[in-house]
Amino acid sequence: MAATTKYALVTGASRGIGRAVAVKLAEAGYQILINFASNVAAAEETLAQVRTAGSDGELIPFDVADGAAAKRALTAWQEAHPEAYVAVLVNNAGIRRDNLMMWLPEEDWHSVLRTSLDGFYNVTQPLLKEMLVAKWGRVINIVSLSGIKGMPGQTNYSAAKGGVIAATKALALEVAKKRVTVNAVAPGFIRTDMTGDLDEATLKKQIPVGRFGEAEEVAALVAFLASDAAAYITGEVISINGGIYT
């Protein structure tokens, strides 16, 4: 019998955009799987906010960059929940290791690509079959302005997010006939822990709307793409950047 209970899995959901997305999808009625790599306390806070939003969820800890760990965790969850499937997957986990290319250590190149690009494969591939069987699914990849236009000091991050953008477009073509959509959301400067080291006062002068974005604004876009109303949108990269690059 086909799985009936729909869950949403958000990677890197312990803080920032991931947490905001988890809470917004909870408001939409989804049970939430909160993925995180190490910060249990922060993930528990996300779960508390999910419950405050009127839904429920559970923690599913693993490092998305570790393919074997991801497969173990996802297989164990699927076996424990035969009546359910992950209908919405938000690939949000990512890391920055900024440096000019001439000084970029090899490990900082590989770690950024492993988290964003390998992480996309490691989490998406095991979950696709159930979406296709159910003939309904949403894969939403959080990419970046950096992956569209390139940013100095972010050759690794631009490469990782640019790769996910290309993968988004290809996968969308593979699964569209089964009513599974695949889209990417490309934030510009969003006020989160990940951008806490940036000079907001200087950078916001470059942004036409004059401010950094909020994680909740990104979450609202993700929630729309996850809804039935977005069924005719697939293979798209939607920027949310205050007009800094269009």
Side-chain angles (χ1 to χ4, degrees), residues 127-239:
L127 298 177
L128 266 183
K129 181 180 177 182
E130 289 299 328
M131 292 186 189
L132 298 173
V133 169
K135 294 184 179 178
W136 199 98
R138 299 284 186 266
V139 179
I140 302 163
N141 301 315
I142 307 300
V143 291
S144 173
L145 170 67
S146 185
I148 297 174
K149 72 175 292 289
M151 298 285 279
Q154 290 193 334
T155 304
N156 49 359
Y157 194 67
S158 294
K161 295 303 188 180
V164 175
I165 286 171
T168 296
K169 295 180 178 184
L171 181 59
L173 301 177
E174 295 180 8
V175 299
K177 284 184 169 60
K178 296 292 187 180
R179 298 174 62 212
V180 175
T181 66
V182 188
N183 290 291
V185 170
F189 294 108
I190 307 298
R191 188 181 290 109
T192 66
D193 291 349
M194 194 174 186
T195 58
D197 62 325
L198 301 180
D199 183 355
E200 181 175 346
T202 299
L203 287 170
K204 71 181 183 181
K205 295 175 184 176
Q206 305 172 24
I207 303 170
V209 302
R211 64 175 177 85
F212 274 25
E214 301 295 340
E216 290 74 18
E217 293 175 300
V218 180
L221 174 56
V222 171
F224 170 69
L225 291 173
S227 72
D228 284 324
Y232 204 54
I233 301 172
T234 196
E236 290 299 315
V237 183
I238 302 175
S239 291

Side-chain angles (χ1 to χ4, degrees), residues 24-25 27 36 73 81 99 108 125 168 196 200 202 232 236:
K24 194 68 176 176
L25 291 175
E27 292 173 357
F36 65 101
H81 300 78
N99 213 330
D108 287 357
Q125 198 276 342
T168 296
E200 181 175 346
T202 299
Y232 204 54
E236 290 299 315

Side-chain angles (χ1 to χ4, degrees), residues 18-44:
R19 173 180 287 175
V21 167
V23 172
K24 194 68 176 176
L25 291 175
E27 292 173 357
Y30 285 98
Q31 300 281 302
I32 309 297
L33 297 181
I34 299 163
N35 164 259
F36 65 101
S38 58
N39 195 334
V40 178
E44 291 280 8

